[in-house]
Amino acid sequence: MDVKSAFLNGELKEEVFVKQPLGFVVAGQEHRVLHLRKALYGLRQAPRMWNVKLDARLTRLGFARCETEHALYTWRPERGQLLVGVYVDDLVVTGASEHDIIAFKQEMKKLFRMSDLGLLTYYLGIEVEQGTDSITLRQSAYARKLLERSCIAGCRANKTPMEEKIKLSKASTAAKVDATGYRSIVGGLRYPVHTRPDLAFAVGYVSRFMEDPREDHLTAVKDLLRYVAGTVDYG
């Protein structure tokens, strides 16, 4: 679900005044300003006030916010449980009972102007494929962009993320490489780990050398990218 004009729902706690916007200046009162009662896009307070408003509404509906992940809310009715993940103005809803999901959507539409986008197919760069007996998460589009950015697209693919028994060291005497570029590539590789556990060890290993990367470290990163190129549709 998507909340329309979400930041306009936030109720300000501070006193905020703005100039009269162009086209809406009252003749003869050009020197006056407007006192805001609610947030506007562009205000520093707007994102926080929206989050406070949404949190209050979900709490009122009986949801409990996760103590370790504040973007996750849980409601436990008699039939099971309902989970809501929040990313700014987008809500991802799942649960044990379709009846509870429908009821939740109806309640939210009473509180905010919302769009029901149906089954989840794409979210934060993650492609979601929902089948009859499974849900597959993959990041193929993201991986292709990463390969293009790293100038690896169209390369010969590797069969494994790393060479067997490879040993890298922070004390390497190989030539230095551009640290900013190295960090950018490794940082880009960290995100696909969410849907690609087969990358986790290799990405963690090359992440150790971001302070002072050398040629042998970069070679390992390129091998990892070549593995991604050959497994771009894995999930």
Side-chain angles (χ1 to χ4, degrees):
M1 301 189 77
D2 175 70
V3 183
K4 298 178 180 178
S5 304
F7 286 2
L8 302 183
N9 290 287
E11 296 172 1
L12 294 172
K13 294 182 179 179
E14 302 91 351
E15 284 198 335
V16 180
F17 299 91
V18 296
K19 294 180 180 179
Q20 297 180 60
L22 293 174
F24 295 90
V25 178
V26 180
Q29 299 183 20
E30 292 85 355
H31 64 288
R32 289 179 176 265
V33 293
L34 304 178
H35 181 204
L36 293 184
R37 289 185 295 172
K38 285 193 170 186
L40 287 177
Y41 279 83
L43 283 183
R44 292 180 181 179
Q45 299 94 329
R48 174 63 179 157
M49 290 300 98
W50 157 243
N51 185 258
V52 169
K53 181 75 170 281
L54 179 62
D55 177 75
R57 293 295 183 267
L58 289 174
T59 301
R60 191 176 299 175
L61 290 175
F63 283 84
R65 186 172 66 179
C66 177
E67 293 183 2
T68 54
E69 176 50 75
H70 288 185
L72 181 65
Y73 291 81
T74 307
W75 179 53
R76 288 186 170 83
E78 294 180 359
R79 287 179 290 271
Q81 69 174 352
L82 194 64
L83 299 175
V84 176
V86 177
Y87 182 74
V88 190
D89 58 355
D90 291 327
L91 306 182
V92 175
V93 188
T94 187
S97 167
E98 188 173 357
H99 175 273
D100 290 334
I101 294 175
I102 293 172
F104 169 74
K105 288 182 177 181
Q106 291 173 345
E107 287 295 324
M108 291 302 292
K109 287 179 179 178
K110 293 177 185 176
L111 298 172
F112 306 107
R113 292 177 61 245
M114 304 195 73
S115 300
D116 185 348
L117 304 179
L119 282 178
L120 186 66
T121 57
Y122 188 83
Y123 190 68
L124 300 179
I126 299 175
E127 299 142 43
V128 183
E129 181 183 329
Q130 303 198 38
T132 55
D133 58 352
S134 66
I135 298 176
T136 304
L137 306 178
R138 60 172 61 91
Q139 290 167 275
S140 303
Y142 176 89
R144 290 188 180 96
K145 288 180 182 178
L146 180 61
L147 293 170
E148 289 176 8
R149 197 179 81 198
S150 308
C151 302
I152 296 290
C155 66
R156 179 175 55 83
N158 273 5
K159 293 184 178 180
T160 58
M162 265 188 163
E163 287 184 22
E164 189 179 358
K165 298 180 180 179
I166 187 172
K167 291 185 179 181
L168 300 175
S169 171
K170 291 183 179 180
S172 171
T173 57
K176 289 189 175 185
V177 297
D178 177 34
T180 301
Y182 184 90
R183 292 166 190 156
S184 176
I185 297 173
V186 174
L189 281 166
R190 295 182 71 87
Y191 191 49
V193 170
H194 291 300
T195 59
R196 294 285 304 275
D198 55 322
L199 302 177
F201 176 78
V203 172
Y205 195 30
V206 297
S207 296
R208 301 176 190 176
F209 313 106
M210 289 202 281
E211 183 179 355
D212 185 25
R214 303 288 174 141
E215 280 285 357
D216 49 348
H217 305 147
L218 183 60
T219 298
V221 170
K222 289 181 178 179
D223 285 343
L224 178 51
L225 287 169
R226 280 192 278 268
Y227 171 75
V228 172
T231 60
V232 72
D233 291 319
Y234 277 22

